[in-house]
Amino acid sequence: MATAFGNEKMGTVITKTELQEKIIRQPKGWIGVDWKELARYKDLLWFLTIRSIKAKYAQSILGVGWAVIQPLFSTLVYTVVFGNLARIDSNGVPYFLFSLVGLVAWTFFSNTLSDSASSLITNANLITKVYFPRLVLPLSSVFSKGVDFLISFILLVVFLVIYKLKPAPELILLPWLILILLLTSLGTGLFLSALAVQFRDIKYALTFGIQLLMYAAPVVYPTTNVPVAYQTLYALNPMVGVIEGFRAIFLGTMPFPYHWVLMGTTVAVLIFGIGIFFFKRMERTFADVA
Amino acid sequence: MKPVIEVKALSKKYRLGLKESRSETIAASLWQTLKAPIDNFKRIRKLSAFEEDSESIFWALHEISFSVQQGEVLGIIGHNGAGKSTLLKILSQITYPSSGEVVMRGRVASLLEVGTGFHPELTGRENVYMNGTILGMTRKEIDRKFDEIVDFSGVEKHLDTPVKFYSSGMKVRLGFAVAAHLEPEILIVDEVLAVGDIGFQRKCLGKMGEVASGGRTVLFVSHQMAAVQALCSRGLLLANGKVLCNGDVNTVVHSYLQAFNPESVTELSTTTEREGNSKARIVDFCLLDDNHQPLASTYSGGDLILKFSIYKMDNTILSGVDIGFSIHNTDDDSLCTILYGSYTGKLFTLKNDRTELCCRINNLPLPEGKYKVRAQLMQNGEVVDYPTQGVGYLEVMTGDFFGTGVRADKLTRSKPEFLMSGTWTTYES
């Protein structure tokens, strides 16, 4: 942020010409995002991210290790329950790897969604005291959960090395999959966070809603178990393309599912658009109802 | 030159909580419980939506307009609920006005709370960065001023300790230190000086004075009239969401204290709530300084003159008139002190229609607080006039009673009733 003072010493008289004019009035209709302003607040985004990571693992012995334990133990439980007991098909790869890949992607999605959806409520004290682009809050959720994702991703790589699996050449498409994942989780998160400021029900519904949602995505079972007639409808869920894409890349369960990924992209962009517009629309009331 | 802040017909409305309906039978309450989600939905949705002319609308600000020039220090005063905080929130862009607009020319920093964004688990160092960026600084700016900030706060030793282990005073000092090093063109400050110890408070006031003298514009909300008078050149008095008075700070503070006292000076001449034979009446009461300029408030250890205006009701000369005043606590009306002219061997003769009687007090021994002043006119043991509601109020700020900078009423846990000075020595026989 450029300061208007050439000389930082106290007592410098400001030259009038440098002052920018700003008008505050009741906003009307739909408002776009002020990307320039958002860029000026990148340092705040950084420190909010650091804050949530540090605060989360403060005074814990394992610290960031929890980011490994969470997906690892879930995977172990699913392997026993769904792989060994229910004998769910895993497209010919060990069920452990099958569900680990699904869970690494899904955990990132669900953590980002729930964290961004509650970001405004948990930071209500900031919203009512200081001005800053409110978008910074849900965005910082994405970044702090991104760190967890990186750690669990490293865990995945370790197991791929142990099982001597080589990724498919579509590895270069991985950022695309992650982008879909981000657009979907952030879009939904933005929408729900704006709603949650006013209706606290969202907070309660979210916890178990996300648990149920997991079964609407191919985390513990493969998409090929869904009847073929419904597969296209099923793939409207952007996470279908993402998870099956992940498996195609790392486990070679199937050829890269371009059609599902393309469908997912379209839906994800739509969700993100709706989310961000709704967020901007509701933004003006945040401080009054938070 | 264009003003730095222009507020034009600014209004902000809020919705008051609607009264909940109560049910009286078990069946009715069961029905209430069942349809509660629907009611809740309607109620919560209304928090942000308005129907026009609804009874439950509350205007926190109503059509207020004013402007502030560059370099001015504007003190915003008013009692609780007058709209000060709402005004600050709009100016600092936290909430939007319902109608009207504000034009701001320059970078704004607002300080509505000390240490916004502090996280108890983070260290002091990390929180300086956290708080600074929330207030709109960049990391580079903080890097550059970091040593200054730490120096100002005086918590160097604990910089790498999580803030949750800080005392509340340390937290406040660190928070203010960050805020004091913001360098905006417009600084908005809300009642933050009410915290911290005396030394630190003085440091903060000094820092704000520096900021103001640097040609920057400051908006300052406070209930401490002494601080407002010391810092601000102009004042703005808000009452019920409207601008009641706008101008020279002393005038505004004076009218604040008047507005604050519903039964004060102006009504004293007309009120019928009085006892006595009414041969003469106390029609006005005010405080003056040594130069006979009106005072809005005074401070512990201050010199002041209490002036009573007496209006003689009949044509005869009244002699042997005694006047006395008493000072009471506003909470319980208990007597603090009383002083009649006769105590000091002074009686008055009233010759003219209007006479001003003055009592000069040196080194006022009252601690900070608001006091009620009662006065009575006597003649030959008979009450001439006694306004039963009192004649006015005396607002006492914390002051340098001992002349050493130590403020006794701030150092003890419970408030002393009065202050006394003495001479301490070692006893040598």
Side-chain angles (χ1 to χ4, degrees), chain A residues 213-241 243-244 247 260 263:
Chain A
L213 265 181
M214 192 184 83
Y215 297 98
V219 180
V220 293
Y221 58 88
T223 307
T224 46
N225 274 16
V226 176
V228 182
Y230 296 108
Q231 277 184 6
T232 313
L233 190 69
Y234 180 69
L236 279 178
N237 177 356
M239 285 308 287
V240 171
I243 293 174
E244 291 302 349
R247 287 193 183 127
W260 292 342
M263 273 177 66

Side-chain angles (χ1 to χ4, degrees), chain B residues 302-324:
Chain B
D303 298 338
L304 75 154
I305 296 168
L306 279 73
K307 189 180 87 174
F308 302 89
S309 303
I310 313 298
Y311 194 79
K312 192 156 60 72
M313 306 299 275
D314 57 8
N315 288 323
T316 56
I317 292 174
L318 293 177
S319 58
V321 174
D322 190 9
I323 183 168

Side-chain angles (χ1 to χ4, degrees), chain A residues 2-21:
Chain A
T3 133
F5 313 102
N7 181 348
E8 292 296 342
K9 270 186 211 141
M10 287 291 185
T12 316
V13 175
I14 309 151
T15 42
K16 191 73 184 193
T17 46
E18 290 170 278
L19 302 182
Q20 84 255 25
E21 196 171 295

Side-chain angles (χ1 to χ4, degrees), chain A residues 26 62 131 149-150 208 214 233 247 262 281:
Chain A
Q26 166 94 293
L62 295 174
Y131 171 79
F149 173 68
L150 269 178
F208 88 107
M214 192 184 83
L233 190 69
R247 287 193 183 127
L262 280 171
R281 172 94 202 194

Side-chain angles (χ1 to χ4, degrees), chain B residues 247-262:
Chain B
D248 171 66
V249 72
N250 291 320
T251 322
V252 173
V253 167
H254 189 70
S255 51
Y256 165 73
L257 293 172
Q258 279 186 7
F260 199 44
N261 316 328

Side-chain angles (χ1 to χ4, degrees), chain A:
Chain A
M1 216 173 316
T3 133
F5 313 102
N7 181 348
E8 292 296 342
K9 270 186 211 141
M10 287 291 185
T12 316
V13 175
I14 309 151
T15 42
K16 191 73 184 193
T17 46
E18 290 170 278
L19 302 182
Q20 84 255 25
E21 196 171 295
K22 187 161 54 191
I23 296 174
I24 303 169
R25 63 158 75 97
Q26 166 94 293
K28 295 262 186 285
W30 301 99
I31 320 131
V33 179
D34 189 346
W35 297 107
K36 248 195 206 162
E37 189 189 40
L38 205 55
R40 272 196 284 125
Y41 277 88
K42 62 176 187 304
D43 288 339
L44 176 59
L45 184 57
W46 168 256
F47 284 113
L48 277 173
T49 308
I50 298 280
R51 184 180 83 161
S52 64
I53 295 169
K54 283 201 176 162
K56 193 166 136 196
Y57 297 118
Q59 267 193 21
S60 80
I61 299 166
L62 295 174
V64 189
W66 284 107
V68 175
I69 292 168
Q70 219 188 349
L72 191 62
F73 277 78
S74 304
T75 309
L76 285 173
V77 170
Y78 292 148
T79 307
V80 172
V81 176
F82 297 110
N84 295 356
L85 299 179
R87 297 191 181 283
I88 286 174
D89 175 40
S90 55
N91 293 134
V93 296
Y95 189 86
F96 176 78
L97 282 181
F98 175 84
S99 60
L100 182 63
V101 172
L103 267 172
V104 164
W106 177 259
T107 310
F108 184 31
F109 172 82
S110 67
N111 283 349
T112 309
L113 172 56
S114 64
D115 205 56
S116 59
S118 57
S119 62
L120 293 179
I121 305 176
T122 41
N123 291 297
N125 61 326
L126 297 187
I127 293 177
T128 53
K129 294 291 181 203
V130 198
Y131 171 79
F132 57 88
R134 306 313 191 199
L135 265 175
V136 170
L137 291 174
L139 277 177
S140 91
S141 302
V142 173
F143 284 96
S144 66
K145 296 305 166 189
V147 173
D148 287 355
F149 173 68
L150 269 178
I151 293 164
S152 60
F153 192 78
I154 292 168
L155 175 79
L156 173 65
V157 171
V158 169
F159 279 105
L160 290 176
V161 172
I162 292 173
Y163 281 87
K164 298 195 177 68
L165 284 170
K166 274 200 190 120
E170 279 89 358
L171 185 65
I172 47 162
L173 295 180
L174 193 66
W176 180 18
L177 296 179
I178 290 172
L179 186 71
I180 300 175
L181 192 157
L182 283 180
L183 289 179
T184 317
S185 56
L186 188 58
T188 322
L190 285 173
F191 186 86
L192 292 179
S193 66
L195 214 55
V197 171
Q198 204 163 354
F199 301 101
R200 295 294 146 90
D201 308 67
I202 302 293
K203 202 168 79 182
Y204 309 119
L206 205 63
T207 330
F208 88 107
I210 286 178
Q211 266 171 20
L212 294 184
L213 265 181
M214 192 184 83
Y215 297 98
V219 180
V220 293
Y221 58 88
T223 307
T224 46
N225 274 16
V226 176
V228 182
Y230 296 108
Q231 277 184 6
T232 313
L233 190 69
Y234 180 69
L236 279 178
N237 177 356
M239 285 308 287
V240 171
V242 173
I243 293 174
E244 291 302 349
F246 263 71
R247 287 193 183 127
I249 290 171
F250 295 112
L251 308 175
T253 49
M254 61 173 77
F256 193 78
Y258 284 99
H259 52 301
W260 292 342
V261 173
L262 280 171
M263 273 177 66
T265 312
T266 320
V267 176
V269 168
L270 227 94
I271 289 176
F272 183 72
I274 293 171
I276 205 158
F277 275 106
F278 185 71
F279 187 89
K280 290 301 290 181
R281 172 94 202 194
M282 300 302 287
E283 198 177 16
R284 72 193 70 156
T285 65
F286 287 169
D288 294 338
V289 293

